[in-house]
Amino acid sequence: MELRQLRYFLSVADTRSFVSAASKLFISRQAISKAISQLESELNVELFMRDSNGAFLTPAGVMFYERVRTLVMELDNLGADMKNYGTRFHQHIRLAFSISVMSLFEPKLLEYKSSQANLDIHYQESPKELCLQLLQEHKVDMIVTPMLLKDPMVICDRLMDSPLGVLIQWNHALSELTEIEPSDLQWIPLAVHSDHFPKDLYQGTNLRVQYQGYDFQRLFRLVEQGLCALILPRCFTPLIPVTTKWIPIVDTPPWTLYKAYSRTSERNQLYSAALDELHLRIFREVAENKGDETCLI
């Protein structure tokens, strides 16, 4: 059965005439008669009794008419709803990114946001502890943070692993090395971006971990001045000045980025679908695109 045949059937049943139905639908009588005959052949029943006075429904036709009318009306309503999807089913998504994580996703997020007439995306940048608090209090719908979340009310998904490395000057004496052991860096003060890494990352070594803070640009300037080296995940290389070099730290656990949202924040099926699409189109896609890059040593 085709929707076209069903519409022809309803028109003939309502007008009780093949001629009138054909005129109403702006098609020939032969075309509508052929479509109805094909429908009757497919259903193996006679839908109309035809005589000189017009076309009248058979008992089978009456039963078929009631079902088809409801079905076609539902399809028409569905089509109208989908055309008005942007205004009738508007969704609002609130995101929170851990400090400096947002720069990894913002370009793709803005591109996606501009293409979604039915979706408002609001996002902010906060320390990772505050991100979790906002999520637990349902003030945001999704967070992206390097902190592993163990709260039972939180659904957590790992986005990417990125090897840790040391950012040093390109013309530094160590720039010719292809890999650096932590013991080789004992004479270099290290800067640690404190929102990403625990202060005791190298506890027990002779390394001097300094310059904790959120300002990446300040840390990059210190590196350029030769005052320190910076511990950084490889996935942040797009932020690194071109005059510096990233060198991996071997035998160091990778920095891990997580996406999470609260289990109790799922308001309805449409809202859940919006979150799932956001995850797939933004976070998972960016993580997968950076997957090959982050593994390069």
Side-chain angles (χ1 to χ4, degrees), residues 125-291:
E125 197 173 30
S126 304
K128 59 185 179 183
E129 293 80 6
L130 180 57
C131 284
L132 179 57
Q133 180 181 339
L134 291 171
L135 186 68
Q136 292 169 327
E137 294 175 356
H138 307 300
K139 294 180 179 178
V140 296
D141 305 302
M142 185 185 295
I143 67 174
V144 184
T145 171
M147 178 172 56
L148 180 60
L149 305 173
K150 300 182 182 297
D151 190 294
M153 300 306 294
V154 168
I155 298 175
C156 187
D157 181 37
R158 185 167 65 183
L159 287 176
M160 71 170 80
D161 289 329
S162 184
L164 291 180
V166 175
L167 185 68
I168 63 174
Q169 285 182 291
W170 175 260
N171 58 359
H172 196 281
L174 293 177
S175 63
E176 300 301 323
L177 299 179
T178 57
E179 59 183 28
I180 295 179
E181 297 283 353
S183 59
D184 297 327
L185 291 170
Q186 292 182 2
W187 59 280
I188 299 180
L190 291 178
V192 177
H193 196 290
S194 61
D195 190 60
H196 295 153
F197 313 110
K199 295 179 180 180
D200 59 352
L201 181 64
Y202 288 97
Q203 188 174 13
T205 71
N206 295 325
L207 299 177
R208 290 175 290 164
V209 180
Q210 302 173 0
Y211 309 116
Q212 285 82 17
Y214 294 147
D215 188 349
F216 258 140
Q217 296 306 315
R218 173 174 176 265
L219 294 176
F220 290 153
R221 286 195 297 271
L222 292 171
V223 171
E224 288 299 308
Q225 294 167 15
L227 298 178
C228 71
L230 173 61
I231 300 175
L232 198 69
R234 183 60 180 251
C235 61
F236 281 96
T237 50
L239 305 177
I240 299 174
V242 294
T243 55
T244 56
K245 184 175 183 179
W246 185 95
I247 298 180
I249 302 177
V250 297
D251 300 325
T252 300
W255 180 85
T256 303
L257 182 65
Y258 297 91
K259 181 271 302 181
Y261 62 94
S262 173
R263 189 181 301 273
T264 56
S265 70
E266 296 183 68
R267 294 190 290 266
N268 54 51
Q269 199 168 21
L270 189 63
Y271 168 77
S272 299
L275 283 180
D276 290 341
E277 183 176 12
L278 192 67
H279 176 202
L280 180 65
R281 298 290 181 86
I282 305 298
F283 303 116
R284 179 54 61 189
E285 184 174 326
V286 171
E288 290 176 351
N289 288 343
K290 289 185 176 294

Side-chain angles (χ1 to χ4, degrees), residues 44-189:
N44 197 30
V45 294
E46 188 178 17
L47 298 174
F48 291 102
M49 295 177 289
R50 303 163 175 83
D51 61 23
S52 58
N53 294 320
F56 303 92
L57 289 172
T58 64
V62 171
M63 184 187 74
F64 190 65
Y65 177 85
E66 296 299 325
R67 299 282 295 274
V68 169
R69 183 178 61 176
T70 301
L71 177 62
V72 172
M73 286 179 60
E74 284 296 317
L75 287 174
D76 288 342
N77 291 337
L78 176 60
D81 286 345
M82 294 310 296
K83 288 179 181 178
N84 297 322
Y85 174 73
T87 55
R88 295 191 58 184
F89 300 101
H90 211 83
Q91 293 293 308
H92 301 270
I93 303 295
R94 303 159 300 170
L95 308 177
F97 293 89
S98 182
I99 297 295
S100 294
V101 169
M102 190 170 71
S103 59
L104 293 173
F105 300 98
E106 191 170 25
K108 189 70 178 179
L109 184 61
L110 290 174
E111 177 187 339
Y112 177 74
K113 181 180 179 181
S114 65
S115 67
Q116 301 297 308
N118 63 307
L119 185 64
D120 282 337
I121 303 175
H122 306 277
Y123 56 93
Q124 65 188 73
E125 197 173 30
S126 304
K128 59 185 179 183
E129 293 80 6
L130 180 57
C131 284
L132 179 57
Q133 180 181 339
L134 291 171
L135 186 68
Q136 292 169 327
E137 294 175 356
H138 307 300
K139 294 180 179 178
V140 296
D141 305 302
M142 185 185 295
I143 67 174
V144 184
T145 171
M147 178 172 56
L148 180 60
L149 305 173
K150 300 182 182 297
D151 190 294
M153 300 306 294
V154 168
I155 298 175
C156 187
D157 181 37
R158 185 167 65 183
L159 287 176
M160 71 170 80
D161 289 329
S162 184
L164 291 180
V166 175
L167 185 68
I168 63 174
Q169 285 182 291
W170 175 260
N171 58 359
H172 196 281
L174 293 177
S175 63
E176 300 301 323
L177 299 179
T178 57
E179 59 183 28
I180 295 179
E181 297 283 353
S183 59
D184 297 327
L185 291 170
Q186 292 182 2
W187 59 280
I188 299 180

